[in-house]
Amino acid sequence: MLYSSVNNEKIKNIKKLNNKKYRDETNLYLVEGEHLVKEAYENNVLEELILLENTNINLDIKTSYVTENVLKYISNLDSPNGIIGICKKKKNTLKGNKIVILEDIQDPGNLGTIIRSSIAFNVDTLVLSSNTVDLYNPKVIRATQGMIFKQNIIIENNLEELIKNLKQNNYTIYTTNVKNGNSLKTIEKKDKLAIIMGNEGNGVSDKLNLLADEYLYIDMNKNCESLNVAVATSIILYELDK
Amino acid sequence: MLYSSVNNEKIKNIKKLNNKKYRDETNLYLVEGEHLVKEAYENNVLEELILLENTNINLDIKTSYVTENVLKYISNLDSPNGIIGICKKKKNTLKGNKIVILEDIQDPGNLGTIIRSSIAFNVDTLVLSSNTVDLYNPKVIRATQGMIFKQNIIIENNLEELIKNLKQNNYTIYTTNVKNGNSLKTIEKKDKLAIIMGNEGNGVSDKLNLLADEYLYIDMNKNCESLNVAVATSIILYELDK
């Protein structure tokens, strides 16, 4: 089927997936580009493919073709690359021994980069506070480089409750604290652990900070106040994965 | 002096500093926000201050006041915060024992984040290929969190020549190589070293790769092809700074 009009109801609904509200309602989201679409397919979250007319990609999935103006209408990119995937959100639950908890991360690039690093360093579950930038924001998805399909990610309204539960289940809770922490280089690495990382401007809130069992800092030159949160999270995960 | 018209010649020239071409011609660039302006002042690169009328900031520097419409006209931000600094580019030369060489990094956030981490982990000089995203791009400057004023950064047309010179001066040249490298955890740390990091999509070019003395990789889960370049650079710098 070829769609050539931006007034078509189906096309308008696909376009609406660029808004968080409609993604939340439908549990669907868009990904763009061959690499991401193929990763989505391999990870069983691809529902439907939107292709520029007269192009092809070898995937066994329901496909709709669109004209260039329709593609531009749907796409989030300045230069659409002709391949858009409609994906379904996965339903996940907390599992595993290595958990990362993100409190109110706002920058899509930071969230996507953390997701990418979390796969690299064997994180089992990523927990996002409900005030975190939307996981299905196109910039987040691009920055994950496809790792969003591989990671077990849950969104949680009440992080305090979740952390208390983890403590009862013998997870050691780590967070960063420049003043009263121990150097990351010398920190004891527990088998069951969760790491809380905070918002770009404000860090971890006091109420979550108080729940931690271990405080750590990354040794650095005193001319630098702090690292980018995706960098800091990645260095901690790298070190704890040794 | 209060400027209220966007047609004023001085205001038009300040606005032009949002373009790389004019920054290159004048050796000036803009920074926005109190934190960056104060860091620029403390690092002796602030030439002039542009303030929203009826506001004040306690710096001993030539100041021009502007109306809100002029501020919005000059600013790069959706919500300008009333403080813009005009800064002069520093003239730097290569120095020190720890050098980072960046080949054609394209994402402003990545470059800014690497600059921030390079101060944290005691890098003496950062070398950018001339095809790197412009150092004075507002998004780069924001991502540095003021560390741009503290780092010694040079832009170099011929990286091959520069690396050959470093080798003659007994620097050990490191770069990443997943297939034939040694694990970062076990790599020997030399006193005089330079690290080459490559473009987001293509990595380090063959011609520079061949000039390296030591190849390293960051241990990671095989489900993840690679890390974000700012993350990878920061982890290497963290490890080599131990």
Side-chain angles (χ1 to χ4, degrees):
Chain A
M1 174 88 191
L2 174 68
Y3 295 89
S4 57
S5 166
V6 298
N7 296 317
N8 178 283
E9 207 55 40
K10 178 187 169 88
I11 297 302
K12 285 200 281 187
N13 283 333
I14 295 172
K15 164 84 172 172
K16 282 203 281 184
L17 290 174
N18 286 309
N19 301 320
K20 179 178 188 303
K21 191 171 163 242
Y22 197 64
R23 291 194 293 264
D24 287 345
E25 274 170 43
T26 57
N27 281 317
L28 298 172
Y29 61 101
L30 301 179
V31 303
E32 299 201 45
E34 186 170 339
H35 173 70
L36 283 174
V37 163
K38 283 188 169 169
E39 290 272 357
Y41 178 78
E42 280 161 23
N43 289 279
N44 297 313
V45 297
L46 189 63
E47 292 272 282
E48 187 177 342
L49 199 54
I50 312 297
L51 284 184
L52 180 61
E53 58 180 333
N54 302 320
T55 64
N56 198 16
I57 176 174
N58 218 353
L59 297 179
D60 177 25
I61 200 96
K62 180 184 173 194
T63 301
S64 298
Y65 293 88
V66 296
T67 53
E68 200 164 342
N69 66 315
V70 172
L71 184 78
K72 279 187 180 164
Y73 171 74
I74 297 173
S75 173
N76 232 292
L77 302 173
D78 293 334
S79 312
N81 44 33
I83 303 172
I84 297 177
I86 303 175
C87 300
K88 60 175 179 236
K89 297 185 186 178
K90 281 191 292 182
K91 282 195 190 70
N92 295 318
T93 51
L94 195 143
K95 66 175 186 196
N97 287 337
K98 198 193 283 184
I99 316 294
V100 170
I101 299 164
L102 300 180
E103 188 183 26
D104 303 356
I105 298 288
Q106 291 309 298
D107 182 85
N110 284 343
L111 177 58
T113 300
I114 292 171
I115 293 169
R116 186 173 174 188
S117 293
S118 76
I119 290 292
F121 301 126
N122 299 300
V123 170
D124 298 308
T125 298
L126 205 57
V127 182
L128 313 182
S129 66
S130 42
N131 287 327
T132 302
V133 56
D134 185 40
L135 175 58
Y136 304 99
N137 174 313
K139 289 181 188 169
V140 173
I141 297 170
R142 274 202 295 284
T144 71
Q145 289 281 314
M147 296 305 111
I148 187 173
F149 310 122
K150 297 201 160 102
Q151 187 52 281
N152 184 53
I153 306 174
I154 62 175
I155 297 160
E156 182 61 44
N157 282 316
N158 191 334
L159 290 187
E160 266 182 287
E161 202 61 28
L162 177 129
I163 293 167
K164 283 175 187 166
N165 266 323
L166 287 171
K167 285 162 80 88
Q168 276 168 8
N169 286 285
N170 302 316
Y171 288 82
T172 302
I173 313 297
Y174 293 78
T175 195
T176 55
N177 190 318
V178 180
K179 281 179 195 150
N180 300 309
N182 295 306
S183 165
L184 176 62
K185 293 172 190 168
T186 58
I187 203 99
E188 198 191 340
K189 292 152 199 167
K190 301 291 173 65
D191 289 335
K192 285 180 83 170
L193 62 89
I195 305 143
I196 313 170
M197 297 297 293
N199 169 272
E200 287 87 350
N202 307 318
V204 174
S205 67
D206 289 344
K207 67 177 192 235
L208 297 192
N209 199 50
L210 284 170
L211 292 172
D213 304 302
E214 302 268 1
Y215 300 92
L216 59 85
Y217 64 85
I218 299 170
D219 295 85
M220 68 181 90
N221 187 298
K222 64 177 179 358
N223 278 325
C224 187
E225 278 170 42
S226 64
L227 294 166
N228 165 282
V229 67
V231 165
T233 306
S234 301
I235 289 175
I236 293 169
L237 294 177
Y238 163 79
E239 189 73 86
L240 291 177
D241 195 46
K242 279 186 182 173
Chain B
M1 174 89 191
L2 174 68
Y3 294 89
S4 58
S5 165
V6 298
N7 295 317
N8 178 283
E9 207 55 40
K10 178 186 168 89
I11 297 302
K12 285 201 281 188
N13 283 334
I14 295 172
K15 164 84 172 172
K16 282 203 281 184
L17 290 173
N18 286 309
N19 302 320
K20 179 178 187 303
K21 191 172 163 242
Y22 197 65
R23 291 195 292 264
D24 287 346
E25 274 170 41
T26 56
N27 282 318
L28 298 172
Y29 61 102
L30 301 179
V31 302
E32 299 201 45
E34 186 170 338
H35 173 69
L36 282 174
V37 163
K38 284 189 169 168
E39 289 273 357
Y41 178 78
E42 280 161 24
N43 290 279
N44 298 314
V45 296
L46 189 63
E47 292 271 282
E48 187 176 342
L49 198 54
I50 313 297
L51 284 185
L52 180 62
E53 58 180 333
N54 303 321
T55 65
N56 198 15
I57 176 174
N58 218 352
L59 298 180
D60 177 24
I61 200 97
K62 179 184 174 195
T63 302
S64 298
Y65 292 88
V66 297
T67 53
E68 200 164 343
N69 67 315
V70 172
L71 183 78
K72 280 188 179 162
Y73 171 75
I74 298 172
S75 174
N76 232 292
L77 301 174
D78 293 334
S79 312
N81 44 34
I83 303 172
I84 297 176
I86 304 175
C87 300
K88 59 176 179 235
K89 297 185 186 179
K90 282 190 292 182
K91 283 195 189 71
N92 295 318
T93 51
L94 195 142
K95 66 175 187 194
N97 287 337
K98 197 192 284 184
I99 317 294
V100 170
I101 300 165
L102 300 180
E103 188 183 27
D104 302 356
I105 298 288
Q106 291 308 298
D107 181 84
N110 284 342
L111 177 58
T113 299
I114 292 171
I115 293 169
R116 187 173 173 187
S117 292
S118 76
I119 289 292
F121 300 126
N122 299 301
V123 170
D124 298 309
T125 298
L126 204 58
V127 182
L128 313 182
S129 67
S130 42
N131 287 327
T132 303
V133 57
D134 186 40
L135 176 57
Y136 303 99
N137 174 313
K139 288 181 188 169
V140 174
I141 296 170
R142 273 203 296 283
T144 71
Q145 289 282 314
M147 295 304 112
I148 188 173
F149 310 122
K150 297 201 160 102
Q151 187 52 281
N152 184 52
I153 307 174
I154 62 175
I155 297 162
E156 180 63 44
N157 283 316
N158 191 334
L159 288 187
E160 265 181 287
E161 201 62 28
L162 177 129
I163 293 168
K164 283 176 187 166
N165 265 324
L166 287 172
K167 284 162 79 88
Q168 276 168 7
N169 286 286
N170 303 316
Y171 288 81
T172 302
I173 313 298
Y174 293 77
T175 193
T176 55
N177 190 317
V178 179
K179 282 179 193 148
N180 300 309
N182 296 306
S183 165
L184 176 63
K185 292 173 192 169
T186 58
I187 203 98
E188 198 192 339
K189 291 151 201 169
K190 301 292 173 64
D191 288 336
K192 285 179 82 170
L193 61 88
I195 306 144
I196 313 170
M197 297 298 293
N199 168 272
E200 287 87 349
N202 307 318
V204 174
S205 66
D206 289 345
K207 67 175 193 238
L208 296 193
N209 199 50
L210 285 169
L211 293 172
D213 304 302
E214 301 267 0
Y215 300 92
L216 59 86
Y217 65 84
I218 300 169
D219 295 85
M220 66 181 91
N221 187 299
K222 64 177 181 356
N223 279 324
C224 187
E225 280 171 40
S226 65
L227 295 166
N228 165 281
V229 67
V231 165
T233 306
S234 301
I235 288 175
I236 293 168
L237 295 176
Y238 163 79
E239 190 72 87
L240 291 177
D241 195 44
K242 279 185 183 175

